[in-house]
Amino acid sequence: MTLSSGWKRRSRPRPRGDAVGSAFYWGCSALAGIPALYLVTRLLHRPPNPMRWAVCLTLACGVTTFFLSAPDTVRAVNRFTGIPNIAAAIVYCLIIVLAASAQVLVLYWRYPPEIARPRARARSATFALLVAVMIVLFVLGEAPDERATDFETHYATTPFIAEFVVLYLVAFAIAALGVMRLCWQWAPTAGRPWLRRGLYVITSGLLVGLIFDGIKLVTVGARWFGGNLDDLNTMLTPPLGGVTLLVTTSGFALPAVGPHLSNAWSWVLRLRSYHALYPLWNDLRSVTPHVVLPSRLGWHLEFRITRRLAEIRDARLVLRPYFDLNVAHTAWKQGQQSGLDGEHLDAVVEAARLREAIRKAQLLTAPPSMMSSRNVIVDSSAHRGGTDGATELAWLTRVARAYTSSPVVAAALADHGVPSCTTRQADSPQQGEQRRSAGEAHCARDKPDHKVQ
């Protein structure tokens, strides 16, 4: 192995494109480092066990390997140690350690500790012996010229260095195939959804890694037979390596990060549903202001949703005397003609019934609570709702969207000669009273007698 002074005279000037290449490697390692840092920090605050250490080692090796693969980092490491191409040896040994830790991690994921532990020890010992052999081959070989981007192909015919490169590439391919086999066989029966997705993502990332490995083997083999495919190696393998790193790191992180992603997406959907309920809730409170509780609302979304659902339900009960079964039947028929069925059809029927009830409540001077019992129209149709908070929110959100935008609801009301005079902007009981007076004046010519008989 040739050391410092002689090597420094033989090092090549930095190519112009290496700055872009280094930025690419550093960017990929930074992106992969975000979930890696989160998981390592999270796992280190828990009681240690082999599986958690395997997670930390796998993610740390992946990020470190790609960071050290940047051409500028390679030159800095070589210059710091005074050993030409020592950075290549470090990177290749780290890749083997990464493959070993990935196999150990998947073993602990799949099997109970008493089964996974002896298998993990056996594979760790095998890969440790492999790393030792690689180090010996690198020390025995001669690689005096610094090669930051094409080390494999430049030294493909150099004694001991060629064996070092081929051993690394073959070992990586075997390790990747082993991890892929474990992940692919276990994924269909994995209990947790995010673990199952993570296993499939790991398999996809390692498939790209095998393509990366295959290209390097082809370019090295071309050198053995007098060919030169170095450009194929330097142009294709960096992006393939970046994809492999990002995808596999994401796969290993998904089982821990995925549930948090699900919770965040669920919160976004519930926020959208909360806002979708507003037009229906606003119209209901304009005619039944007493159902709205006077207490101040905080910023807690779940409390706001619970309040809004309860107030919509209470207002619906108050408006039952105004329900028109003819409007509901017309909406049901037109919904069926439009191809609706199931809950979508029920939501349209409920929305049409509420639209008509709100319109009648705006036009009548007597509040529903003061009407005599003989004027109450019985709501004999089946009313679908939720059995818990989640299904109730989904049902009323569907009703609210049909209430505001369904053409079937508009057509059903139009068939009964109902003008579009339902207002959706009430903010106070006084404004609701003003709209009821305006509604009487606007709709009197179409419905000369609106009193319930």
Side-chain angles (χ1 to χ4, degrees):
M1 183 62 62
T2 306
L3 297 182
S4 58
S5 60
W7 163 68
K8 287 182 180 178
R9 290 193 299 270
R10 304 173 72 173
S11 61
R12 299 187 302 167
R14 178 191 183 194
R16 183 175 300 177
D18 280 2
V20 177
S22 296
F24 170 77
Y25 280 99
W26 292 335
C28 288
S29 61
L31 288 176
I34 295 173
L37 182 62
Y38 167 78
L39 281 181
V40 169
T41 305
R42 187 167 173 260
L43 292 172
L44 290 178
H45 285 82
R46 296 184 177 185
N49 63 44
M51 184 179 68
R52 289 173 185 155
W53 281 112
V55 172
C56 295
L57 185 60
T58 301
L59 297 176
C61 284
V63 175
T64 305
T65 298
F66 222 69
F67 178 80
L68 293 177
S69 298
D72 286 347
T73 310
V74 169
R75 292 190 179 88
V77 172
N78 293 339
R79 189 174 300 110
F80 176 78
T81 60
I83 304 175
N85 298 302
I86 188 63
I90 295 173
V91 167
Y92 296 163
C93 290
L94 279 176
I95 290 176
I96 300 304
V97 174
L98 169 63
S101 62
Q103 286 209 359
V104 170
L105 176 57
V106 174
L107 286 174
Y108 275 104
W109 273 353
R110 181 172 185 181
Y111 300 109
E114 60 273 11
I115 298 177
R117 189 175 296 111
R119 297 186 183 186
R121 287 175 179 172
R123 299 197 186 193
S124 299
T126 301
F127 282 100
L129 179 61
L130 179 61
V131 170
V133 173
M134 289 176 59
I135 293 174
V136 171
L137 290 173
F138 184 79
V139 171
L140 292 176
E142 288 289 333
D145 294 330
E146 182 188 64
R147 312 299 296 191
T149 58
D150 60 349
F151 177 85
E152 304 94 340
T153 54
H154 184 78
Y155 292 107
T157 56
T158 303
F160 297 111
I161 299 297
E163 288 80 359
F164 166 79
V165 170
V166 172
L167 184 60
Y168 141 68
L169 293 174
V170 172
F172 174 78
I174 293 174
L177 286 172
V179 175
M180 290 175 64
R181 180 181 62 84
L182 288 172
C183 293
W184 189 260
Q185 290 178 348
W186 184 36
T189 58
R192 292 178 292 162
W194 281 107
L195 175 58
R196 182 167 58 252
R197 294 165 190 153
L199 294 172
Y200 283 127
V201 170
I202 293 170
T203 304
S204 303
L206 290 177
L207 180 61
V208 180
L210 286 177
I211 298 173
F212 161 90
D213 192 78
I215 291 175
K216 285 188 174 291
L217 280 172
V218 169
T219 55
V220 169
R223 282 284 189 148
W224 295 346
F225 296 98
N228 189 333
L229 297 176
D230 293 7
D231 290 342
L232 187 67
N233 178 41
T234 55
M235 291 176 61
L236 293 183
T237 54
L240 288 174
V243 171
T244 302
L245 172 70
L246 295 176
V247 174
T248 52
T249 302
S250 301
F252 284 115
L254 274 181
V257 178
H260 298 289
L261 297 177
S262 295
N263 293 336
W265 180 243
S266 176
W267 188 89
V268 171
L269 293 179
R270 292 176 71 81
L271 180 63
R272 291 177 59 187
S273 296
Y274 174 76
H275 288 297
L277 292 173
Y278 179 80
L280 174 60
W281 171 81
N282 195 41
D283 281 0
L284 288 171
R285 72 165 182 167
S286 70
V287 294
T288 58
H290 55 282
V291 303
V292 179
L293 298 177
S295 60
R296 293 175 60 86
L297 291 176
W299 289 103
H300 194 275
L301 179 61
E302 296 304 316
F303 177 66
R304 285 176 168 268
I305 290 175
T306 302
R307 281 280 301 270
R308 185 156 289 185
L309 293 177
E311 289 166 0
I312 290 175
R313 283 300 189 191
D314 292 344
R316 182 186 182 278
L317 291 175
V318 173
L319 292 180
R320 284 184 57 157
Y322 297 126
F323 283 178
D324 191 330
L325 298 183
N326 293 325
V327 170
H329 182 66
T330 302
W332 181 79
K333 287 174 55 179
Q334 295 195 2
Q336 281 195 323
Q337 293 172 1
S338 300
L340 300 178
D341 58 6
E343 290 189 351
H344 295 282
L345 179 60
D346 292 337
V348 165
V349 172
E350 178 71 6
R353 187 160 44 195
L354 289 173
R355 283 277 297 272
E356 173 65 2
I358 291 172
R359 187 191 68 86
K360 288 181 178 179
Q362 287 176 338
L363 298 178
L364 290 174
T365 56
S369 57
M370 297 178 61
M371 298 179 62
S372 62
S373 59
R374 61 186 178 85
N375 292 330
V376 175
I377 300 175
V378 179
D379 182 15
S380 59
S381 61
H383 174 67
R384 299 184 63 165
T387 56
D388 54 30
T391 55
E392 180 77 357
L393 177 61
W395 160 250
L396 286 179
T397 300
R398 193 176 292 113
V399 172
R401 286 171 178 158
Y403 179 87
T404 56
S405 59
S406 174
V408 175
V409 173
L413 295 176
D415 282 356
H416 286 265
V418 178
S420 180
C421 56
T422 302
T423 310
R424 296 189 176 88
Q425 300 297 328
D427 291 319
S428 67
Q430 292 78 9
Q431 289 175 337
E433 186 63 35
Q434 293 173 0
R435 270 191 298 276
R436 281 194 291 272
S437 301
E440 287 187 15
H442 179 72
C443 301
R445 62 179 180 273
D446 296 310
K447 301 286 284 185
D449 185 6
H450 297 286
K451 293 184 178 180
V452 178
Q453 299 296 330

